Amino acid sequence: MKFAQASIALSLTAAAGLSGFTALTATPAEATTRCTGGTLLGRYALKSNLNNKYIRAGIGSDAAVGATSSRIGGNKSWETFDIYDLGNRNGLNGGTYALRSTQDPNRWVSVASNKALQLKRGCTTNSRNRLFMADKVGNTLQLQSLSNRQWVIQRSNNMLQANAPTAGGNVPKALQYRMIRVSAGSGSGSNSTPPSNQQQVNLNGWLKGNNKGVYSAQRSGNNFQMKGFLNSKPFNLITGTIQGNIINASWKNFCNNSTGSLKLRIDRNRLVKVGGNPGFNTSWTPTQKPASISSRPDCNDARNLNGTWRGNNGGTYVVRQTGSIVSWNGRGGNFKNIFIGQRQGNTVSGLWQDTAGSQTQNSGRLTFKVVNGSRLVRVSHTGSLGNSNWTR
């Protein structure tokens, strides 16, 4: 017998305790500020860490921006930029910057439709393709376009484009630009100052909680996650999205199925908790990777399947067990499916269904076995199911 999609979806919702949908409403238009109304941080030249050339604006008929100059042409030249801080104005997050050409003060560094950086006339807080978020370690800068959330990268022709999906991991030199101060700005005495030379918190590294645990942090574009470890054993997972210097996230304990919300602020050399449910820590700072860690939680209960699992052929599966009822919500690539079944001992049997929206819905039965609480192994199935086993 084939279940209707709505039937299994409702069953999954009931088993997982999910809430209903929230309607979206339009927000009123925000006020606009000219970029020159921001705080002038100073006049800077930028130098590529890839080819050791200075960034030059106004190249060719399309006024492109590229790492092509061997020297700074002077305080006022194609190689210098006035950098303005627009953070905390008209709904913008802190650390939002605009770069104005000193040679042609009517034009600003902008992301064109083909993702190339060019000089364009005019700039306001509504001109999102003129605005950039900045990550800075020492005097090395990485820029992320506010319009498409892509990182500014130097391509093989030495031109700059905002089309790199991530600055994570070992940041390639093609995304690194050294800041060279040419003259001071007007921000003296204000709360808005250039990013300090203090170590910037690494969103692709290890962090230590101020009260408990160490965390492996990973960033991919605007997506962020931290996996917490106690006594070298994983105990929770924090996942969220980055908007400016704010991370809106949720957390889940691997062992007791407790969940909650979390709001973090990226505060130069640390993450600071600014909202959410009670938890162990209120801040996280950079630390070294532990000498040894385990991939398996120590929950003292192999029956507990709650947590996030990964299929051997791809996809992530958020599994929830309530009593003997086991459900999951799986997604990855072009698929999205749900499962609900019943557990007897180490065997779980139930129904799964593809909910990706294709005209021909793929569904069937699935039986899998729980191996040591850390691996799910498919025993039998009907329908086209891509994975044969899942691990935490």
Side-chain angles (χ1 to χ4, degrees):
M1 183 174 70
K2 185 174 181 180
F3 279 68
Q5 180 179 350
S7 175
I8 190 171
L10 288 173
S11 298
L12 176 61
T13 301
L18 302 179
S19 61
F21 294 103
T22 301
L24 298 177
T25 58
T27 57
E30 293 179 340
T32 299
T33 300
R34 290 181 182 273
C35 292
T36 50
T39 301
L40 176 60
L41 301 182
R43 184 162 293 182
Y44 290 86
L46 301 176
K47 196 172 189 180
S48 165
N49 270 2
L50 181 64
N51 67 359
N52 214 33
K53 297 283 189 179
Y54 291 100
I55 306 302
R56 180 181 175 88
I59 301 172
S61 59
D62 56 357
V65 180
T68 62
S69 290
S70 299
R71 64 183 182 88
I72 301 173
N75 182 290
K76 182 179 177 182
S77 67
W78 291 116
E79 291 81 22
T80 57
F81 304 89
D82 289 334
I83 299 181
Y84 287 83
D85 182 357
L86 279 303
N88 303 316
R89 290 174 173 83
N90 307 138
L92 296 177
N93 290 317
T96 303
Y97 302 104
L99 288 71
R100 183 174 71 165
S101 169
T102 63
Q103 186 71 14
D104 186 351
N106 291 321
R107 294 198 287 179
W108 301 73
V109 175
S110 176
V111 180
S113 58
N114 64 354
K115 309 301 189 298
L117 262 59
Q118 300 175 350
L119 291 182
K120 297 286 187 180
R121 292 189 177 276
C123 179
T124 72
T125 49
N126 282 346
S127 308
R128 298 306 168 101
N129 60 350
R130 267 81 156 167
L131 303 177
F132 299 87
M133 300 299 298
D135 278 351
K136 184 172 181 288
V137 179
N139 68 339
T140 300
L141 188 72
Q142 298 138 40
L143 293 171
Q144 184 186 34
S145 170
L146 201 64
S147 61
N148 64 8
R149 299 293 180 178
Q150 300 290 291
W151 294 84
V152 175
I153 187 170
Q154 179 182 335
R155 292 304 180 184
S156 58
N157 62 355
N158 295 328
M159 296 295 104
L160 302 189
Q161 294 185 340
N163 63 355
T166 178
N170 295 319
V171 179
K173 289 185 177 181
L175 280 77
Q176 300 180 24
Y177 311 96
R178 298 196 301 280
M179 297 181 69
I180 301 167
R181 195 177 185 89
V182 177
S183 63
S186 62
S188 177
S190 71
N191 292 327
S192 183
T193 59
S196 73
N197 289 333
Q198 193 176 24
Q199 181 186 6
Q200 183 77 24
V201 62
N202 187 359
L203 298 183
N204 286 281
W206 287 87
L207 304 173
K208 182 179 181 180
N210 63 316
N211 288 319
K212 189 180 293 186
V214 293
Y215 294 75
S216 173
Q218 290 182 320
R219 175 179 186 169
S220 178
N222 295 324
N223 297 316
F224 174 77
Q225 75 169 34
M226 282 201 307
K227 189 174 185 179
F229 294 82
L230 280 176
N231 301 319
S232 300
K233 303 283 188 179
F235 74 96
N236 74 356
L237 183 69
I238 298 169
T239 58
T241 57
I242 303 172
Q243 294 180 316
N245 66 338
I246 296 296
I247 301 174
N248 292 298
S250 59
W251 58 265
K252 182 170 185 176
N253 188 289
F254 288 129
C255 295
N256 62 18
N257 197 33
S258 59
T259 60
S261 63
L262 186 63
K263 187 174 184 178
L264 305 173
R265 184 179 70 243
I266 304 171
D267 191 12
R268 295 186 180 177
N269 71 327
R270 61 178 182 162
L271 297 180
V272 178
K273 179 181 175 181
V274 294
N277 303 116
F280 291 141
N281 300 296
T282 57
S283 66
W284 294 257
T285 53
T287 189
Q288 298 296 316
K289 179 180 179 180
S292 63
I293 57 172
S294 172
S295 60
R296 291 181 55 186
D298 185 12
C299 301
N300 299 316
D301 183 4
R303 291 183 56 84
N304 191 336
L305 302 183
N306 294 306
T308 303
W309 300 69
R310 184 175 297 279
N312 63 311
N313 283 324
T316 56
Y317 295 74
V318 178
V319 178
R320 177 169 291 188
Q321 180 175 341
T322 305
S324 63
I325 301 299
V326 176
S327 60
W328 79 37
N329 194 329
R331 62 181 60 209
N334 295 322
F335 83 88
K336 182 167 65 174
N337 66 33
I338 54 179
F339 169 86
I340 184 168
Q342 189 164 12
R343 179 171 179 171
Q344 292 183 324
N346 284 328
T347 300
V348 181
S349 296
L351 298 166
W352 70 272
Q353 187 165 25
D354 177 9
T355 62
S358 58
Q359 292 183 352
T360 303
Q361 294 292 340
N362 187 18
S363 62
R365 298 196 65 85
L366 171 65
T367 298
F368 58 86
K369 185 172 291 187
V370 181
V371 180
N372 296 326
S374 62
R375 193 161 174 256
L376 310 178
V377 179
R378 190 178 72 197
V379 176
S380 63
H381 77 288
T382 60
S384 178
L385 191 62
N387 293 299
S388 59
N389 63 81
W390 298 260
T391 52
R392 288 192 186 270

